[in-house]
Amino acid sequence: STNPLTSSYIVDHLAPGSSLSRTVELLNNSNVFITMSVYVAAANVVRDHFVYSNGTTSNELSRWTSVSERAPRLAPHSKVLDTITTNVPIDATSGSRFAVVWATVSAAPPSGHGITLVSRVGVRMYLSIGPGGAPPSNFALGPLTTARSSSGDSLVIGVVHNTGKTVLALSGRLRLSNGPNGLRAGPFVASIGAVLLPGVSEPVTITLASSIPRGPWRADLQVSSGPLQRVASATISFPSRVGTREPSVFNRFRGLLSIGGTLVLLAILVWAVLARRRRRRSLRATATT
């Protein structure tokens, strides 16, 4: 799969009426025997964050999914494999589903009173439901802008659009070159949400020190999702005032083109009105003669 989520989580596309089996490893790193509780619970993606539901809250995907070992007992420093099986109903509707396979271990307080300690780890599930094969992954980058934060930091801001049909896990890096006196800087790690749903757009922000020269710079922002890569490039300068934004040279140029196009249109309209008035005067003069 081209989706980088598959290397860490349960990710797949299933048609209604089909099933999926995956194996997860449960590991006891402690020096004592433990009994785990393994179950599947609901989750969701809110904006660009994967959000876990409380406790054993269920949803469609968690109800479709079962585990082969619900309460395995593990010796110290041992492991066991657990099979996770999802059976999609034949009447399931198309769309994305999210859940988590949880493994928990709890320890009661020694005195019988106080706080019960619970340790919980999980494997996320990202499933898309629908006919046919796996939907394509794709995304696009919008133009770059710069800003000065309220704390004085220099910001480079882009926008990523998930134009495909799958949930994406994204990473990004910014490089600056051709700066004042030929300076170069970076790469700087971009701040991007954990996941991005199909059809959703989110900002990509790179925070730089306030001491970095204002510019101009050549900025190259590369964003990746597995083998998919997109690059947005622009000539940028950072604003001097706190709380202000500044478009890249390309964006300003595009804005000037827009203004120029509007002025040309107005000029054509004025010319048409004047020409029509002259024609009417000429007709009236001919009729009088």
Side-chain angles (χ1 to χ4, degrees):
S1 173
T2 60
N3 194 325
L5 293 173
T6 58
S7 62
S8 303
Y9 309 119
I10 298 175
V11 181
D12 214 322
H13 174 78
L14 297 177
S18 63
S19 62
L20 170 74
S21 290
R22 291 288 186 269
T23 301
V24 298
E25 183 179 84
L26 307 176
L27 180 64
N28 177 12
N29 284 325
S30 71
N31 296 321
V32 298
F33 280 86
I34 61 172
T35 299
M36 292 185 180
S37 174
V38 184
Y39 58 94
V40 184
N44 200 1
V45 173
V46 180
R47 290 182 62 84
D48 55 354
H49 292 87
F50 192 89
V51 179
Y52 316 121
S53 299
N54 293 328
T56 58
T57 303
S58 66
N59 63 4
E60 280 188 319
L61 181 53
S62 68
R63 290 190 291 271
W64 299 343
T65 306
S66 61
V67 300
S68 60
E69 297 285 345
R70 299 182 63 88
R73 182 168 174 79
L74 279 73
H77 303 287
S78 66
K79 61 184 179 182
V80 65
L81 300 181
D82 204 342
T83 301
I84 314 301
T85 302
T86 300
N87 294 297
V88 182
I90 191 67
D91 58 350
T93 57
S94 297
S96 298
R97 306 292 198 282
F98 310 99
V100 183
V101 180
W102 289 112
T104 65
V105 177
S106 60
S111 62
H113 301 282
I115 299 175
T116 298
L117 299 178
V118 177
S119 176
R120 184 169 77 159
V121 295
V123 176
R124 300 179 186 182
M125 299 183 69
Y126 298 82
L127 295 187
S128 64
I129 308 301
S137 299
N138 202 2
F139 68 95
L141 285 179
L144 301 179
T145 60
T146 60
R148 183 76 62 185
S149 71
S150 58
S151 60
D153 291 331
S154 300
L155 306 177
V156 178
I157 305 167
V159 180
V160 59
H161 314 277
N162 186 346
T163 58
K165 301 296 183 181
T166 61
V167 178
L168 297 178
L170 299 164
S171 61
R173 291 181 179 274
L174 173 75
R175 295 181 185 273
L176 299 179
S177 60
N178 298 339
N181 298 319
L183 288 175
R184 304 172 66 90
F188 303 99
V189 177
S191 174
I192 311 178
V195 290
L196 190 63
L197 289 173
V200 175
S201 299
E202 288 292 340
V204 181
T205 304
I206 302 91
T207 302
L208 309 175
S210 59
S211 59
I212 192 168
R214 289 190 57 203
W217 297 88
R218 174 185 167 86
D220 295 291
L221 173 62
Q222 177 180 297
V223 176
S224 303
S225 178
L228 297 176
Q229 291 186 351
R230 302 289 182 268
V231 177
S233 301
T235 299
I236 63 170
S237 293
F238 297 104
S240 56
R241 291 189 301 165
V242 169
T244 58
R245 294 174 70 101
E246 186 170 330
S248 65
V249 168
F250 172 78
N251 291 333
R252 288 200 297 269
F253 179 66
R254 186 171 59 179
L256 290 174
L257 286 178
S258 177
I259 294 171
T262 302
L263 292 176
V264 170
L265 178 60
L266 288 174
I268 293 174
L269 290 174
V270 170
W271 176 84
V273 171
L274 293 176
R276 186 175 181 182
R277 287 179 179 176
R278 286 196 297 268
R279 191 179 303 111
R280 285 180 176 176
R281 292 194 189 107
S282 177
L283 289 174
R284 282 198 297 268
T286 302
T288 303
T289 303

